[in-house]
Amino acid sequence: MQLNPDALGGTVAKYNESCKGKADGEFGRPLKTLIPLEKGPFYAMKTYPATYNTQGGPRRNGNCQVLDAFGRPIPRLYSGGEMGSFFGWMYNGGGNNAEALVTGKIAGTNVTKEKPWT
Ligand SMILES: Cc1cc2nc3c(=O)[nH]c(=O)nc-3n(C[C@H](O)[C@H](O)[C@H](O)COP(=O)(O)OP(=O)(O)OC[C@H]3O[C@@H](n4cnc5c(N)ncnc54)[C@H](O)[C@@H]3O)c2cc1C
């Protein structure tokens, strides 16, 4: 784990104290999760925070045109994938790559139909 053993021991001791005192002053964990780490064997793994999805951004219509605040398409502006996801209000397990593929194709197809500026 490449951790400083003293720091790790100190962290565990502090956590176990929180369990005895029935209050986690450091992270505010719920009481029922305060179970002391006393009897081994223990196993360790590194974990990191990460995000799967952003699921937000501007709204778009079925043509993948980005809409303004009044629901009107903004000329020549399209979006595909997560930027403006149809599922912006929820975590839709497994559907994001499909949405990226489908909306990317729709947006790309419609962009090529736009009249060039020059
Ligand atoms: C660990 C993990 C597991 C996942 N598992 C699944 C799964 O099983 N099924 C599923 O459906 N979805 C899954 N997802 C979600 C899915 O991968 C994403 O929803 C999808 O890739 C989003 O596609 P996108 O094209 O919208 O965005 P992205 O794939 O993020 O593409 C955006 C691109 O824009 C580029 N970019 C950013 N800023 C700029 C800039 N200024 N100029 C030029 N380029 C820029 C980025 O480099 C990137 O290449 C998972 C995501 C993660 C992180």
Side-chain angles (χ1 to χ4, degrees), residues 25-107:
E26 225 177 357
F27 300 108
R29 286 174 59 145
L31 282 185
K32 65 179 179 187
T33 70
L34 291 179
I35 299 163
L37 299 169
E38 289 170 335
K39 195 175 167 207
F42 297 113
Y43 301 90
M45 66 177 197
K46 286 189 175 180
T47 59
Y48 302 89
T51 52
Y52 273 15
N53 303 79
T54 49
Q55 315 236 220
R59 290 192 173 186
R60 65 177 166 232
N61 62 18
N63 295 323
C64 292
Q65 293 170 293
V66 176
L67 305 176
D68 68 15
F70 305 100
R72 296 176 304 218
I74 298 171
R76 309 177 74 86
L77 187 59
Y78 294 83
S79 87
E82 274 191 44
M83 198 194 77
S85 170
F86 295 125
F87 311 113
W89 47 277
M90 61 176 281
Y91 177 70
N92 174 50
N96 294 281
N97 284 332
E99 182 182 29
L101 286 169
V102 171
T103 55
K105 178 146 185 357
I106 294 171

